[in-house]
Amino acid sequence: MASKPVTLKLQSRGKRIPKLPSETNIYVQGSSADLYERIAKDTGYSVHRLRITSGEDGKPIPNDKKITVSGAGLGNGSVIQVKDLGPQIAWQTVFVIEYIGPLIIHPLFYFLRPYIYKNAPPQPSTLQTLSCAMITSHFLKRELETLFVHRFSHATMSANNIFKNSGHYWILGGFLIAYFTYGPNSITAKDTLPLLTYAGVALFLFGELANLNTHMVLRNLRSPGGTERGVPKGFGFDLVTCPNYLFEAIAWIGVLMVNRSWTTVVFIAVAVLFMARWAKTKEIRYRKELGSKYQKKRYAMVPGVY
């Protein structure tokens, strides 16, 4: 039986969309992604800037090639609401901007120490050199993973969030840690406790490599350009939902054991709070989307704790 077109009534939700037509025609066996493309063409907005919901119950209509218009619960005369999410920015770009801050800030403080601090000795301490190398390599790894490893389930995010997201890395992970690490009066300026230093470097390397392995596992669950979710398995996944967050925290504890700065404690505390919330959200999503295929985890991020 041939597919037939239906007429959908369109309404703006929230901020008015100037070029939004009052109705549109589309085939019921067409995909919801086709609906997004049609409305995007009519309004002149990117599909990523639009959110479509049912006018009856407010249920989101996903931008998905696998879901038909009828499968989304829409029929002739159905009302849909279209929301303008505002200017968008690619997730990959967001991550690049976030991580570039501390990646630049730490070497600047390290090499410009004599010009930033009074009475700074000409040569940095071993702990300061190690701190700079560890933190810089961490964010360099992050940048390379963003460009060559990560596959994102969402193409964009609100451009307004870039300032909030970058603040954590540029201010806490960048300026704050750098200023109190490379100064002549910081504890890092004194080469003490060598065993703690060696242990910190070892913990950092373990955390970074284990974190990279987790990211590679997650990458291989998704096809290029795809948004599907697979069941993550491998080192760490039997213990917690998000071992990448666990190993991230371990790597930063290694940094703390080297630079021994209260600013690193602040950065870790804030990061762990965010990661713990994301891990719990991901556990809920896995249970909902993967069902019986997914082995439920008791702990989302830290074994025996959370």
Side-chain angles (χ1 to χ4, degrees), residues 234-303:
F235 181 63
F237 284 103
D238 292 335
L239 297 174
V240 294
T241 308
C242 297
N244 50 322
Y245 297 153
L246 170 64
F247 298 138
E248 173 94 358
I250 288 174
W252 274 100
I253 291 173
V255 173
L256 176 62
M257 292 168 68
V258 171
N259 79 352
R260 302 154 201 171
S261 173
W262 65 269
T263 58
T264 305
V265 175
V266 172
F267 178 80
I268 293 174
V270 174
V272 166
L273 286 175
F274 277 109
M275 291 189 292
R277 186 180 66 181
W278 298 334
K280 181 62 71 175
T281 300
K282 186 161 290 187
E283 172 67 19
I284 295 172
R285 186 183 300 132
Y286 280 155
R287 294 185 183 186
K288 179 180 179 180
E289 296 181 3
L290 301 177
S292 60
K293 294 187 297 182
Y294 176 68
Q295 181 181 354
K296 297 179 181 179
K297 304 297 189 303
R298 182 178 179 184
Y299 302 105
M301 181 177 162
V302 182

Side-chain angles (χ1 to χ4, degrees), residues 49-110:
R49 184 167 174 165
L50 303 174
R51 177 183 294 158
I52 302 175
T53 55
S54 169
E56 295 183 3
D57 55 13
K59 182 180 179 180
I61 307 299
N63 180 4
D64 194 328
K65 293 181 180 179
K66 297 179 181 179
I67 298 177
T68 64
V69 171
S70 61
L74 302 177
N76 193 50
S78 291
V79 177
I80 57 174
Q81 297 181 326
V82 184
K83 181 178 179 62
D84 174 15
L85 299 176
Q88 300 290 295
I89 186 171
W91 269 102
Q92 186 179 68
T93 303
V94 171
F95 283 175
V96 168
I97 293 173
E98 287 177 354
Y99 305 147
I100 198 67
L103 185 57
I104 294 174
I105 291 168
H106 280 270
L108 282 177
F109 269 84
Y110 177 79

Side-chain angles (χ1 to χ4, degrees), residues 149-211:
V149 176
H150 293 322
R151 289 174 177 164
F152 302 95
S153 57
H154 298 287
T156 65
M157 65 172 285
S158 173
N160 294 331
N161 288 339
I162 187 63
F163 302 103
K164 177 183 67 177
N165 288 27
S166 296
H168 172 67
Y169 294 101
W170 283 63
I171 298 175
L172 295 185
F175 285 107
L176 190 66
I177 293 179
Y179 183 81
F180 287 96
T181 294
Y182 307 114
N185 298 320
S186 71
I187 190 172
T188 323
K190 304 174 181 63
D191 290 329
T192 58
L193 303 176
L195 290 180
L196 185 63
T197 301
Y198 298 148
V201 172
L203 203 62
F204 172 80
L205 292 174
F206 167 78
E208 292 292 297
L209 293 174
N211 176 265

